[in-house]
Amino acid sequence: AEKVLGYDLLSLCLEGPRDALDRTQHCQPAVFVASLAAVEKLNHLQPEVRARGGRGGSGGASGLPRAAAEAPLGSVSPQVVERCVAAAGYSVGEFAALVFAGALGFAEALYAVKVRAEAMQKASEAVPSGMLSVVGRREANYKFACLEARKHCESLGIEDPVCAVSNYLFPDSRVIAGHLQALEFLQENARKYYFKRTKMLPVSGAFHTRLMEPAVEPLAEVLKSIEIQKPLLCVYSNVDGKKYMHSKHIEKLLVKQVVSPVLWEQTMHSVYQRKQGTEFPYTYEVGPGNQLGAILKQCNLKAWKQYKHVDALEDEEAAET
């Protein structure tokens, strides 16, 4: 990773400084590499996990924004990969899921993530924007709230304002992204729109909205130069919540994902859809944080009961304490 990125990613992850690690241009590569490191850990430190695969294998869900799966391609025997039913990654985690599934090579995918992260950082700095996490009541109308927030921005003289749902997390939970003035308006009028809780996310811009359009071309160019294979197992796209079909499909949707909402709730329904009475697969969230496990619990409690989280550093931290 250090060779591809041109800086010491491991040192940045372990020693900081935190504000540098939190910057989009560093955070995305860090999450990508840490997710695949956690996959390696799952493979090497938990071999008993694979022995249980006969019950239907391991489903895939990912960390925020991570990837999940049972073991990485190229470091395990084929039967282990065959036991994994599906993989999915949240935002940049989709790249890690595709590496796991054999569609992308590690170094090439990391380079694409580097280009994506730097372009998104640059786009974020162009316009004061952000992301607002919202938990709403049943009556909440997110589209109407966003419309009124855009009208408010227009009244302030902002031309062509952006305010839209950028992430569908679980029933009654969304992330809304756009101009900061729009998000501030929604926080001030939360009760009117039946929002129970609102919280600004610690990110630099309105990811997964059209404010990220300047990042589209750089990512499209680098993906054109990369060899993309058809995945060896099902990988679900953030853009439509459906399985990737072929390499051109992957190239097209990875670019579209930058400016499209992340349909994570819909993806969870696609991944875990099965006949009544069929047992749910094991699910492993691999990477830093267990937010996607919390989302899975809200989307599908039965599937969550077969869930485990694997962090590349967990054991070492426990040993130190």
Side-chain angles (χ1 to χ4, degrees):
E2 186 176 347
K3 286 177 184 172
V4 173
L5 297 171
Y7 58 87
D8 187 346
L9 182 66
L10 183 61
S11 172
L12 184 60
C13 287
L14 296 179
E15 297 160 27
R18 183 63 193 246
D19 60 340
L21 184 58
D22 283 344
R23 283 177 66 81
T24 301
Q25 68 191 72
H26 299 136
C27 183
Q28 290 188 20
V31 167
F32 169 82
V33 174
S35 298
L36 290 170
V39 172
E40 287 289 354
K41 177 178 166 181
L42 179 62
N43 177 36
H44 293 296
L45 301 186
Q46 299 186 338
E48 75 280 1
V49 163
R50 289 180 294 170
R52 299 164 69 196
R55 265 177 77 183
S58 154
S62 79
L64 187 58
R66 291 159 289 283
E70 194 167 293
L73 192 70
S75 63
V76 291
S77 55
Q79 63 266 29
V80 176
V81 175
E82 284 166 15
R83 285 196 180 113
C84 185
V85 181
Y90 187 102
S91 192
V92 72
E94 197 152 52
F95 285 82
L98 287 162
V99 169
F100 167 76
L104 297 172
F106 171 76
E108 290 178 323
L110 177 58
Y111 182 68
V113 167
K114 176 182 187 285
V115 170
R116 177 188 191 268
E118 289 171 354
M120 288 172 76
Q121 177 83 46
K122 197 173 175 184
S124 298
E125 290 164 359
V127 178
S129 58
M131 302 181 83
L132 182 72
S133 175
V134 176
V135 176
R137 301 187 188 281
R138 288 280 168 89
E139 310 95 300
N141 185 329
Y142 302 96
K143 283 187 178 177
F144 177 67
C146 290
L147 174 65
E148 295 220 320
R150 289 195 298 272
K151 285 181 179 174
H152 169 73
C153 285
E154 285 170 355
S155 75
L156 298 176
I158 297 171
E159 285 183 28
D160 197 20
V162 172
C163 183
V165 173
S166 62
N167 307 69
Y168 292 81
L169 302 179
F170 55 86
D172 305 319
S173 179
R174 307 277 186 274
V175 176
I176 294 173
H179 282 82
L180 280 181
Q181 296 90 333
L183 304 183
E184 287 161 3
F185 172 83
L186 291 178
Q187 283 190 295
E188 288 164 13
N189 295 278
R191 187 172 289 182
K192 176 184 175 183
Y193 301 117
Y194 301 101
F195 295 167
K196 286 193 287 189
R197 273 200 319 276
T198 61
K199 183 185 176 184
M200 286 298 294
L201 297 179
V203 295
S204 57
F207 304 146
H208 304 290
T209 71
R210 58 185 173 83
L211 286 176
M212 289 295 113
E213 276 173 3
V216 165
E217 194 55 39
L219 179 60
E221 282 302 309
V222 75
L223 287 174
K224 274 181 198 168
S225 68
I226 288 175
E227 189 179 353
I228 303 174
Q229 307 285 344
K230 185 179 176 182
L232 295 173
L233 66 152
C234 297
V235 180
Y236 289 80
S237 165
N238 287 183
V239 173
D240 58 12
K242 297 174 182 175
K243 297 171 192 174
Y244 280 116
M245 303 309 292
H246 49 76
S247 58
K248 280 290 176 195
H249 193 211
I250 292 169
E251 184 185 327
K252 180 183 172 185
L253 292 189
L254 281 180
V255 173
K256 194 175 178 183
Q257 189 228 56
V258 172
V259 290
S260 301
V262 173
L263 304 187
W264 194 255
E265 181 185 343
Q266 295 86 333
T267 300
M268 290 297 91
H269 292 315
S270 296
V271 169
Y272 296 103
Q273 188 175 24
R274 58 220 335 105
K275 288 178 185 173
Q276 201 168 357
T278 308
E279 231 175 321
F280 284 101
Y282 298 95
T283 297
Y284 302 98
E285 178 174 2
V286 286
N290 57 2
Q291 297 96 325
L292 292 190
I295 293 173
L296 176 59
K297 189 176 183 180
Q298 297 290 335
C299 289
N300 190 322
L301 185 60
K302 284 185 177 178
W304 174 78
K305 287 176 180 175
Q306 304 275 45
Y307 160 89
K308 285 185 181 176
H309 173 235
V310 182
D311 189 319
L313 278 181
E314 231 163 39
D315 288 352
E316 290 84 342
E317 285 169 357
E320 284 169 15
T321 55

